[in-house]
Amino acid sequence: MSDKEPLAARVEAFDKELAAIIRAPETEVMQVPAPFFGKGDIYRITRRLTHHPLVLTVGVAGDAVVRLADNPDGYRALARKAQLRLENDALRLAYLTIFLETTRSFAHRFDIVRDTSEIQPRPGLDDATASRFSQAMDRYGRVLQPPTLTGSGPWQAAVYALRKQSLVRLDLTLTDDGAITGKETVLEPDLPIPYTL
């Protein structure tokens, strides 16, 4: 977003600190596609710092401004104000994946993965660790797939992701009012992959 001021001005009445972060010269603001909202927007705010970036997500709809990171309940509250549209599977799946990507903790890695080619080993692994990584990728090569959705309401979704150093499967349920529940299963803990946020 080249002009950050409209968002900063809108946020300021609710959160002066966040408005100052948005206005900072080292901050980049990117609008996150949210086709499932009739009247609402989501933004990813990245402030470049010396050692690692500060990343925040915020949603706006009507007179509401909601910080989304670590705030799944805020996402649902935003959806109620943003004229949620879930009339087809594409919108429902987008709603679920954006939920995961914007309400996560930005203190550690969370990446949705679609196949094993998206998972790379740390450089310089010893032979035993490289073999363990290769065996894990062989084991999940036929399992990993893009996020999928089934059912006719409520809908079930399966999403594979890297959380911290682990490969996980998220089994989610979505209802027509936008409620999301689910559970996370660790498939492969402590993968020898690069450490990153």
Side-chain angles (χ1 to χ4, degrees):
M1 171 180 240
S2 56
D3 183 8
K4 302 182 286 186
E5 185 53 33
L7 179 61
R10 190 165 185 187
V11 166
E12 190 157 29
F14 297 89
D15 192 330
K16 291 188 184 319
E17 177 190 3
L18 180 55
I21 290 170
I22 292 168
R23 289 187 174 111
E26 64 275 13
T27 297
E28 297 173 4
V29 176
M30 180 187 79
Q31 188 168 358
V32 177
F36 41 79
F37 286 165
K39 290 192 175 180
D41 296 299
I42 297 174
Y43 298 93
R44 181 181 169 112
I45 300 158
T46 306
R47 184 173 187 180
R48 303 282 171 208
L49 301 173
T50 305
H51 298 291
H52 59 81
L54 170 67
V55 181
L56 303 164
T57 48
V58 64
V60 295
D63 61 355
V65 174
V66 182
R67 279 196 190 216
L68 297 173
D70 283 319
N71 187 11
D73 291 337
Y75 188 87
R76 177 121 184 261
L78 177 69
R80 283 194 295 268
K81 293 219 173 219
Q83 298 180 6
L84 182 61
R85 300 169 40 232
L86 295 176
E87 60 262 22
N88 60 53
D89 279 352
L91 290 173
R92 290 187 278 266
L93 199 53
Y95 178 77
L96 281 167
T97 56
I98 297 300
F99 165 80
L100 293 172
E101 292 170 348
T102 60
T103 65
R104 59 169 277 202
S105 166
F106 286 92
H108 55 76
R109 169 196 282 125
F110 177 82
D111 295 313
I112 294 173
V113 292
R114 290 150 186 85
D115 63 55
T116 55
S117 70
E118 297 178 356
I119 306 172
Q120 297 300 313
R122 274 195 311 266
L125 296 180
D126 60 49
D127 290 345
T129 307
S131 175
R132 181 171 72 84
F133 176 82
S134 179
Q135 289 171 10
M137 295 304 98
D138 289 346
R139 203 165 31 254
Y140 293 104
R142 293 185 184 177
V143 174
L144 294 190
Q145 59 184 346
T148 58
L149 196 66
T150 59
S152 56
W155 300 272
Q156 314 305 310
V159 180
Y160 294 91
L162 294 173
R163 188 183 300 280
K164 299 182 182 178
Q165 298 304 111
S166 297
L167 176 64
V168 301
R169 176 182 163 126
L170 301 157
D171 292 294
L172 306 171
T173 299
L174 170 66
T175 58
D176 58 3
D177 65 351
I180 299 169
T181 56
K183 69 174 187 166
E184 179 174 310
T185 304
V186 175
L187 301 177
E188 193 72 30
D190 195 30
L191 282 168
I193 56 179
Y195 295 98
T196 185
L197 291 179

